[in-house]
Amino acid sequence: MPQTRPIERRCQIDFGLIMSFSLPDVDSSMHSTDVFEQEVTVLLENGLHLVPCSRIAELARRFPCQSQLIKDGIAVDAKTIFDLITLQAVQGTKLTIRTQGQDARELLEKLVELFAHNFET
């Protein structure tokens, strides 16, 4: 039987681009440091599987603020489906939704509503 060895691949890309740009003045009120949290319960019979996780991530990506779901002290990015699935949130699981930044309160309200209506739109 022939021995196998790992294949090593290297790739270097150099586009030689030089970019220059200026940032617009930003109103400091846009970068709120207020943190909003609310606890929700997973009511879905099959827990947070792919479809509800995709709905959470899709909604969270529409907002510029940071958003997390927290289970047993472990926080994951609410904008990433894979992270959400790793929570393994079965029916009855208590989660904390945490948002921070611009439009954080609005996102929190919409996420809570999503859980309250069992992800039915």
Side-chain angles (χ1 to χ4, degrees):
M1 175 152 230
Q3 290 185 348
T4 60
R5 60 183 179 159
I7 298 173
E8 182 178 336
R9 295 183 185 186
R10 294 179 185 213
C11 181
Q12 180 177 351
I13 300 173
D14 184 5
F15 293 105
L17 296 176
I18 298 175
M19 296 178 66
S20 174
F21 58 91
S22 61
L23 297 174
D25 291 334
V26 178
D27 180 6
S28 62
S29 66
M30 289 178 57
H31 298 290
S32 172
T33 58
D34 291 338
V35 177
F36 300 95
E37 288 187 347
Q38 187 163 338
E39 188 174 87
V40 294
T41 302
V42 177
L43 301 174
L44 295 168
E45 185 177 339
N46 294 321
L48 288 187
H49 53 83
L50 184 60
V51 173
C53 286
S54 66
R55 289 199 180 138
I56 293 168
E58 180 183 311
L59 176 60
R61 284 192 300 263
R62 289 190 224 154
F63 291 82
C65 60
Q66 296 175 353
S67 53
Q68 298 176 320
L69 260 64
I70 305 162
K71 176 188 168 196
D72 300 329
I74 298 171
V76 300
D77 185 353
K79 297 180 181 186
T80 307
I81 297 169
F82 179 76
D83 286 0
L84 294 168
I85 289 175
T86 63
L87 287 175
Q88 298 179 3
V90 297
Q91 185 179 35
T93 300
K94 302 256 187 235
L95 299 172
T96 301
I97 301 171
R98 177 185 296 152
T99 60
Q100 179 179 5
Q102 182 182 354
D103 298 329
R105 184 184 308 242
E106 183 182 355
L107 174 57
L108 178 67
E109 291 169 359
K110 290 188 179 295
L111 287 170
V112 168
E113 186 177 315
L114 197 62
F115 275 87
H117 291 98
N118 254 353
F119 296 85
E120 294 180 14
T121 53

